């Protein structure tokens, strides 16, 4: 099962470092996939990581180096267009409050609390009342019939 560090977080939310390329790479070095928020600024033709706005400049070399570990949440229509029209091999998606979103590699990005299946990524299970504690509820990850989990607490799920 894939464990996906939400914005690079492993042991809880860390707003100061989330989406920072070094923080993301640290999570990857620890064996996790990472969900990142990406923006494309057409005026400069550059990609940036950041949740609420473009914060950290990244180039295609950085993206390509981490292609197999990134779950790319496109934050603006320009980013979605660039990935859909000018790249291949990346796993990207766009969503807002959709209960389900299909990624470019046909995984089902599953909003908290929704039903899931073997192609699902359960997103932020810590926000659901059915998962009160990680140390007890996630002891046997194989019991969950899903492809992966995206959380701020993936370090507790190993």
């Amino acid at each position: 099962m894939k464990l996906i560090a939400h914005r690079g977080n492993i042991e809880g939310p860390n707003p100061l470092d989330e989406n920072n390329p070094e923080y993301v790479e640290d999570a990857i070095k620890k064996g996790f996939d990472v969900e990142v928020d990406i923006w494309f600024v057409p005026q400069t033709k550059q990609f940036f990581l950041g949740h609420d706005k473009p914060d950290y400049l990244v180039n295609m070399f950085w993206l390509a180096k981490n292609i197999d570990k990134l779950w790319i949440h496109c934050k603006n229509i320009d980013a979605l267009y660039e990935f859909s029209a000018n790249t291949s091999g990346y796993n990207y998606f766009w969503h807002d409050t959709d209960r389900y979103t299909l990624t470019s590699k046909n995984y089902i990005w599953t909003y908290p609390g929704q039903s899931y299946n073997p192609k699902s990524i359960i997103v932020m299970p810590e926000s659901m009342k059915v998962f009160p504690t990680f140390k007890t509820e996630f002891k046997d990850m194989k019991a969950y019939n899903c492809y992966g989990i995206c959380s701020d607490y993936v370090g507790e799920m190993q």
Side-chain angles (χ1 to χ4, degrees):
M1 171 182 302
K2 291 278 184 187
L3 293 178
I4 305 166
H6 180 244
R7 302 180 194 151
N9 295 323
I10 294 172
E11 297 176 5
N14 182 356
L16 293 176
D17 291 324
E18 292 175 353
N19 284 304
N20 180 317
E22 292 174 7
Y23 189 64
V24 168
E25 286 181 0
D26 187 51
I28 291 170
K29 287 176 189 168
K30 291 178 179 171
F32 299 103
D33 281 17
V34 179
E35 180 268 347
V36 294
D37 299 319
I38 198 160
W39 301 77
F40 183 77
V41 178
Q43 295 85 347
T44 63
K45 296 184 183 241
Q46 294 176 311
F47 286 102
F48 292 83
L49 299 183
H51 178 65
D52 294 320
K53 63 183 178 31
D55 288 319
Y56 303 101
L57 178 65
V58 291
N59 59 36
M60 290 307 294
F61 296 109
W62 186 88
L63 291 167
K65 176 177 76 169
N66 297 301
I67 191 171
D68 293 330
K69 293 292 191 173
L70 296 177
W71 295 73
I72 300 170
H73 178 184
C74 296
K75 297 297 281 188
N76 63 350
I77 190 67
D78 300 306
L80 186 60
Y81 173 78
E82 285 300 315
F83 277 98
S84 66
N86 297 319
T87 69
S88 65
Y90 290 93
N91 193 15
Y92 61 91
F93 61 96
W94 181 91
H95 79 103
D96 187 14
T97 57
D98 312 315
R99 291 185 293 166
Y100 302 98
T101 296
L102 194 61
T103 76
S104 61
K105 290 192 173 184
N106 294 315
Y107 294 102
I108 304 166
W109 198 254
T110 305
Y111 199 76
Q114 301 303 313
S115 300
Y116 58 90
N117 62 44
K119 292 283 285 186
S120 291
I121 303 299
I122 299 173
V123 178
M124 307 301 283
E126 59 266 28
S127 67
M128 301 182 311
K129 291 182 176 140
V130 295
F131 297 117
T133 64
F134 292 105
K135 293 186 185 214
T136 57
E137 295 297 327
F138 288 105
K139 274 187 178 176
D140 184 13
M141 295 302 292
K142 293 179 183 174
Y144 296 92
N145 190 23
C146 65
Y147 186 78
I149 293 177
C150 178
S151 169
D152 284 329
Y153 298 91
V154 290
E156 295 184 24
M157 298 179 195
Q158 289 182 309

